[in-house]
Amino acid sequence: MDILHTEHKRCTVIKTNGRIDGSNAPDLGKSLKEIMEKGVYNIVFDMTDVNFMASAGWWVLIDTQKNCKPRGEVVLACVDKSIQDSLNLVGMGSYFKIFPDLITAVGSF
Amino acid sequence: MMPTQIFRSDLGNLEKICHFVTIYAKEAGLNERQVYAVQLAVDEAATNIIEHGYRCSGHGDVQITCEPEADGLRVILHDHAPPFDPDEIPEPVTDVPLEDLKPRGLGIFLMRKMMDEVTYEFDAEEGNTLTLVKRK
């Protein structure tokens, strides 16, 4: 799993591609933990190229959100419609701000 | 004969499992949204079998059969891990403050929400059989 980090003035953008499931969600978690260990708590997860997200991935993001708040937060950008629908279906959409494009997401900090 | 494939109980096989069911979900005439529902539900079911049933040992098998039907797709997951009845897992509570959110049962809950039918059977000799149905 390739995870790219881009540091901006007020936040860090992370980006990966393809599937996030039980096999690689721990890698995503490790990467997010490394960012927080550097004192960065404003995180944009750019999901432009993520086409599948299982609950294991959502728990990594929930866990990160718990660690970031109240110092900062995780926001999501460019979430695939099916992925967003599944999140809303189980009532977990309210735990994240979701932006339609990356520029707005970065600009929200 | 129905398309059946056997996968080792390794989380690394989740992508192959997804690919397998996607072929038959599309063949059954499900739309894009319904195909994603099948992919997600089967992924959550297989993850549970591998993680909780076989404890990620890599020594078990998950047999998956896809049965395209006139009005949708039936997916049957069969394994010989200890009994695991999804009905016994309580629904996660998601209308609570973030700090009170507990990571249990979300996969099962997603599976139920995404599919039209979810049934579980256990037989001492045959093992666990989980049947998921998605209609058009």
Side-chain angles (χ1 to χ4, degrees), chain B residues 3-15:
Chain B
T4 296
Q5 200 161 321
I6 295 171
F7 300 88
R8 298 298 285 169
S9 57
D10 184 323
L11 291 173
N13 280 330
L14 289 171
E15 188 168 1

Side-chain angles (χ1 to χ4, degrees), chain B residues 3 5 7 9 11 26 29 34 44 53 57 77 90 92 94 107 114-115 119 123 129 132 134 136:
Chain B
Q5 200 161 321
F7 300 88
S9 57
L11 291 173
K26 287 181 177 171
Q34 293 160 340
E44 298 292 350
S57 68
L77 294 97
T94 54
M114 301 306 273
M115 302 303 276
T119 51
D123 179 276
T129 303
L132 310 175
K134 186 69 186 174
K136 288 181 201 170

Side-chain angles (χ1 to χ4, degrees), chain B residues 2 17 20 30 46 54 56 62 65 73 76 88 91 122 136:
Chain B
M2 295 302 166
I17 290 171
F20 175 67
L30 299 183
Y54 290 119
C56 294
V62 185
T65 301
L73 179 73
I76 302 161
E88 289 175 8
E91 282 189 7
F122 174 74
K136 288 181 201 170

Side-chain angles (χ1 to χ4, degrees), chain B residues 47-57 79 81-84 128:
Chain B
T47 301
N48 264 306
I49 294 168
I50 295 167
E51 277 191 342
H52 302 292
Y54 290 119
R55 309 244 169 233
C56 294
S57 68
D79 67 83
F84 179 80
N128 299 294

Side-chain angles (χ1 to χ4, degrees), chain A residues 59 62 66 92 95, chain B residues 91-94 96-106:
Chain A
W59 280 115
I62 287 283
K66 283 183 181 181
M92 286 180 58
Y95 295 105
Chain B
E91 282 189 7
V93 182
T94 54
V96 294
L98 177 70
E99 57 271 25
D100 297 332
L101 205 54
K102 300 279 191 304
R104 187 166 158 78
L106 180 65

